[in-house]
Amino acid sequence: MTEHPTSFDRPSTGADPTDPRGALLRTPVPPRASGSALPAQGGAGQTPPAAGEDSPGAFEHSQPGAEQAAEPDTHRPRPTSEGVPAQPDGGQPGGAPSDDTPSAGATPGGVTPGEVSAGGGQAGLVRPDSGAPAGAPDPGRRAAPPEPDRRTGQLTAPGRPTPMRRDGDRLRFVGAATRRIARGMDLDEIVMGLCRATVPTFADAILVYLREPLPVGDERPTGPLVLRLRRTDRIPAERDTEGGFAPAPQPEPSELETVGAELCEVRPGSALAEVLRGVRPVFTDTPAARAALPELLGEDRDFALPDGRRAILAPLRGRRRVIGAALFLRGPERIAFEADDLLVAAQLATHSALGIDKAVLYGREAYIADELQRTMLPENLPRCTGVRLASRYLPAAETARVGGDWYDAIPLPGSRVALVVGDVMGHSMTSAAIMGQLRTTAQTLAGLDLPPQEVLHHLDEQAQRLGTDRMATCLYAVYDPVAHRITVANAGHPPPVLLHLGGHAEVLRVPAGAPIGVGGVDFEAVELDAPAGATLLLYTDGLVESRLRDVWTGIEQLRERLAATAQLTGPDHPPPLEALCDEVLDMLGPGDRDDDIALLAARFDGIAPSDVSYWFLDPEDAAPGKARRLARRALARWGMEDLTDAVELLVSEVVTNAVRYASKPVTLRLLRTDVLRCEVGDDVPQLPRLRQARATDEGGRGLYLVNRLARRWGATRLSTGKVVWFELNRG
């Protein structure tokens, strides 16, 4: 048996494609006077096509199996649909051609598309042979008598909708509806798919209630069972006319529009709890369902339900428990539900509930991945002296938002800053976890003020301890704003690009090195000029390498893009950092997103020599007094005499503490930037600790004064000792 592809999105054979319900097979429509045709009912948010247009969107909510009706098969005869009444012009079910076969392109009703009125009805249709309306009686032909229902034997009144007559109709509808539901990835898409697949094909309205909150996976919900109305859908009241959307006469308020409460609590042992526990869909004319509906819809809303079997209450059960309910409604102008429709409702409820369960699990996994990636990357870049920073991170895909790419900016002693960018193989949770460990290791090593090549060496050892297949590339650079120099060490990473102030972009020549994790490899570092106004761009290979281009071609394109962007702002003004990052990412094409992308841009402002004062002090008792005099002269030269008292006091305390334990000359440096920064270095590695001095102690109050008077302060261990620094706001 060959199953022909069908879809509920198009009308079935023998169905009127302009039917506003679009869901049921209809008997012949009695003739209507031209100009009295009703406009066609459009789907929610859709514009039906104008007269003569053949638009697939016009049949979105039509009967399943419409693909055969929309595009006639010229290779084999179309089977006659069982139970489809005779058509007015065809004389045969399904619009099969008779002796008076219309021209090519005729619709299943025997009318060409150009003859369909904009209203979507059959009034105003003209037979090409006679010029009479399509529904008008032909004196030369005898009208086909109404065909009885094959199951009940009763004649169907003209113009009344008939149910889906065969099990195949229901199977095709269920197959198409479940495919539409399964296309959803998140909760809203799945619920919307259920509503759009059901209305108006299966029901005139639907109410979907979901548990609040929805349980995730195997977790056991706590508290009472509360259902919240998640979404409602019904046949829209507005209709389309020949000139487009136009306001139609507003009908009386439908009883379907008054159904539904926003929130309900399912009480244990109540009628609603029993219906939900039964899992199976039920007609609302049963005593159990009739007693449960006031609890679901509200005590004052039970009158709004239509009489008879015109409503089905279907519990939504996930993998472990009931997570909601769906209420299918039909209006009084439509035929009631049948017993077989309970099976259709059960299939829709089962597929929707399982899809909702998976969507909740997927949402939790996506949330965990986003949180992991967010915590692994710096939330905000630090504000460092003499350099401005900007960054970007793009995951490989929306479905895999975690990866092994990272960037970082770490303040170092002496107003320096370490710039780091790395890439762990893969873009999975494992890669993100390894990336987090390597980033933490790099921050710890940077705090020790190790040279860049030593940092990479220790990262290589750490990667080998994590596993034999833990490979990563990394580039570590240290920028000194006072010396206007940058020291770079590389471990198999693409080289950085330096954009000069005049608009010239160059790829820096740095040793390639081996990736981290190889082991037994020596890393080298190079020291380069970092002129003021220049911009250093660090990136991962996802920016320059893809299936469509190799890495060196991408690097050259990046260099050209930076140079072209710099030309827009002129030779004396570098482009803004944020806009520069956006321009760089715009160079990516549709096929260039194969890997994660991490981008770090650093604008070198530097510190002018006139804003730096530097001295060496011998470790002797006279050193604190000499430090006070030197600081007072520097402040006078900079016009900052209002800070003299505070600076003298704090410098004296810090220098006294350094001289007490140092065996080599002590360094004193003052930096004038947006703040006044003082740095005192010695050869003792032990860091000072803030403590509360007792009343009988003669010392121990120096750092307490620094902590109270300074804007910020800290101590950093160096390879040759330590540096204690503090900052004061400029007046």
Side-chain angles (χ1 to χ4, degrees):
M1 176 179 178
T2 304
E3 181 179 355
H4 303 291
T6 58
S7 172
F8 70 98
D9 288 336
R10 300 181 181 176
S12 64
T13 305
D16 183 5
T18 60
D19 183 5
R21 290 294 182 265
L24 303 173
L25 304 176
R26 289 186 176 271
T27 57
V29 180
R32 240 181 236 193
S34 177
S36 63
L38 292 176
Q41 175 76 37
Q46 293 184 344
T47 305
E53 293 182 357
D54 187 10
S55 172
F59 308 136
E60 177 176 352
H61 294 301
S62 301
Q63 177 72 15
E67 297 181 19
Q68 296 131 351
E71 298 179 8
D73 192 349
T74 59
H75 299 287
R76 60 178 180 271
R78 189 174 311 282
T80 302
S81 176
E82 179 183 357
V84 179
Q87 303 301 310
D89 284 338
Q92 299 183 25
S98 64
D99 295 336
D100 301 319
T101 304
S103 59
T107 60
V111 184
T112 59
E115 298 166 339
V116 180
S117 67
Q122 294 190 8
L125 304 182
V126 180
R127 286 200 301 267
D129 53 348
S130 62
D138 188 351
R141 297 180 58 185
R142 183 176 60 184
E147 183 175 315
D149 192 305
R150 293 181 181 271
R151 293 175 297 177
T152 63
Q154 299 177 355
L155 294 177
T156 305
R160 296 291 297 173
T162 61
M164 290 183 280
R165 296 179 177 274
R166 299 179 302 170
D167 291 339
D169 295 334
R170 289 187 172 89
L171 289 177
R172 285 192 293 269
F173 165 70
V174 170
T178 53
R179 285 194 299 271
R180 186 165 192 171
I181 294 170
R183 284 199 297 263
M185 289 291 294
D186 57 20
L187 181 62
D188 292 333
E189 290 178 351
I190 292 174
V191 175
M192 181 184 296
L194 171 63
C195 295
R196 294 291 176 85
T198 305
V199 179
T201 309
F202 182 69
D204 292 336
I206 182 175
L207 288 80
V208 180
Y209 288 85
L210 294 181
R211 192 164 190 154
E212 181 74 18
L214 279 168
V216 180
D218 297 333
E219 69 180 20
R220 300 182 63 86
T222 59
L225 173 59
V226 178
L227 298 181
R228 179 179 294 275
L229 183 61
R230 183 76 183 194
R231 183 180 177 89
T232 62
D233 206 355
R234 63 181 179 84
I235 297 177
E238 60 273 5
R239 297 175 182 271
D240 188 51
T241 60
E242 185 174 348
F245 284 109
Q250 294 297 327
E252 294 297 327
S254 171
E255 56 187 7
L256 298 179
E257 300 179 14
T258 62
V259 177
E262 181 69 20
L263 198 68
C264 76
E265 180 178 342
V266 182
R267 297 182 297 272
S270 63
L272 180 58
E274 294 299 323
V275 172
L276 295 179
R277 186 180 296 112
V279 178
R280 298 179 181 276
V282 294
F283 291 118
T284 55
D285 61 347
T286 60
R290 179 61 65 176
L293 285 178
E295 185 178 353
L296 179 66
L297 305 177
E299 297 294 339
D300 57 341
R301 296 179 181 265
D302 54 342
F303 67 91
L305 284 176
D307 297 330
R309 293 189 170 184
R310 299 186 179 276
I312 294 178
L313 179 59
L316 302 178
R317 178 177 176 82
R319 294 190 309 122
R320 303 215 175 251
R321 59 187 62 85
V322 173
I323 60 174
L327 183 63
F328 304 94
L329 300 169
R330 284 186 181 177
E333 74 281 356
R334 189 167 177 176
I335 60 175
F337 288 111
E338 299 179 351
D340 290 342
D341 291 327
L342 291 177
L343 301 178
V344 176
Q347 288 292 323
L348 295 177
T350 300
H351 284 277
S352 300
L354 293 178
I356 291 172
D357 247 2
K358 294 178 181 178
V360 173
L361 285 173
Y362 172 78
R364 172 62 64 88
E365 294 296 327
Y367 171 78
I368 293 174
D370 287 342
E371 285 296 304
L372 176 62
Q373 188 69 55
R374 185 184 63 82
T375 55
M376 293 300 181
L377 296 176
E379 185 174 357
N380 294 304
L381 293 174
R383 298 185 59 182
C384 303
T385 303
V387 62
R388 287 173 287 171
L389 303 170
S391 62
R392 294 291 187 273
Y393 174 80
L394 293 179
E398 290 297 324
T399 56
R401 299 187 60 86
V402 293
D405 293 17
W406 91 91
Y407 60 88
D408 211 345
I410 309 169
L412 299 178
S415 300
R416 297 171 300 154
V417 58
L419 307 174
V420 191
V421 64
D423 183 6
V424 180
M425 289 191 308
H427 38 80
S428 62
M429 300 282 283
T430 303
S431 301
I434 297 173
M435 175 267 288
Q437 296 182 21
L438 293 180
R439 177 174 177 248
T440 303
T441 304
Q443 289 181 329
T444 304
L445 296 172
L448 300 176
D449 197 30
L450 297 178
Q453 64 272 21
E454 291 297 324
V455 172
L456 295 183
H457 175 73
H458 289 291
L459 284 176
D460 180 59
E461 293 180 343
Q462 176 66 15
Q464 294 179 65
R465 285 191 289 267
L466 295 176
T468 57
D469 57 344
R470 307 311 187 193
M471 305 284 292
T473 63
C474 182
L475 190 142
Y476 189 93
V478 175
Y479 170 64
D480 189 344
V482 177
H484 295 271
R485 303 283 288 179
I486 184 170
T487 305
V488 184
N490 191 14
H493 203 78
V497 180
L498 184 64
L499 177 63
H500 293 269
L501 184 59
H504 172 65
E506 65 169 328
V507 180
L508 297 184
R509 297 179 177 272
V510 297
I516 292 174
V518 174
V521 180
D522 188 22
F523 299 99
E524 300 180 18
V526 293
E527 187 174 350
L528 305 170
D529 288 331
T535 304
L536 184 69
L537 198 70
L538 308 179
Y539 54 90
T540 56
D541 58 354
L543 180 65
V544 294
E545 186 179 18
S546 67
R547 297 187 304 268
L548 305 179
R549 61 184 178 185
D550 61 87
V551 61
W552 288 108
T553 301
I555 292 175
E556 181 61 24
Q557 293 178 359
L558 173 62
R559 189 193 65 80
E560 295 175 354
R561 187 62 175 261
L562 290 174
T565 304
Q567 297 298 327
L568 299 177
T569 57
D572 299 330
H573 302 281
L577 275 182
E578 298 294 338
L580 182 65
C581 292
D582 294 335
E583 286 292 330
V584 168
L585 294 181
D586 285 343
M587 66 178 282
L588 297 173
D592 294 337
R593 291 292 304 280
D594 298 332
D595 198 0
D596 308 336
I597 297 175
L599 182 66
L600 179 62
R603 174 71 44 77
F604 299 146
D605 293 333
I607 300 176
S610 58
D611 293 330
V612 180
S613 296
Y614 192 85
W615 304 280
F616 286 94
L617 303 175
D618 293 329
E620 55 188 11
D621 295 340
K626 184 177 181 181
R628 289 194 295 269
R629 291 192 299 273
L630 295 174
R632 184 167 54 251
R633 294 173 187 172
L635 294 177
R637 185 170 67 252
W638 292 335
M640 303 172 65
E641 291 86 353
D642 53 334
L643 297 178
T644 301
D645 294 338
V647 171
E648 285 187 358
L649 176 60
L650 298 183
V651 166
S652 178
E653 293 294 335
V654 176
V655 171
T656 299
N657 187 72
V659 170
R660 180 178 300 176
Y661 304 102
S663 59
K664 295 182 180 180
V666 175
T667 61
L668 172 63
R669 184 166 71 170
L670 294 180
L671 302 173
R672 183 184 64 169
T673 57
D674 54 340
V675 297
L676 179 66
R677 182 182 178 97
C678 176
E679 299 174 352
V680 177
D682 58 61
D683 61 339
V684 181
Q686 286 78 18
L687 299 180
R689 301 297 180 188
L690 180 64
R691 65 183 182 88
Q692 186 72 33
R694 292 174 297 183
T696 57
D697 293 341
E698 295 183 0
R701 296 177 178 83
L703 287 182
Y704 178 77
L705 293 175
V706 174
N707 184 62
R708 293 298 301 269
L709 298 179
R711 172 178 175 267
R712 291 194 312 157
W713 77 278
T716 306
R717 184 179 285 109
L718 304 177
S719 58
T720 57
K722 69 175 181 294
V723 169
V724 179
W725 57 270
F726 64 86
E727 292 178 353
L728 294 173
N729 291 323
R730 296 178 57 177

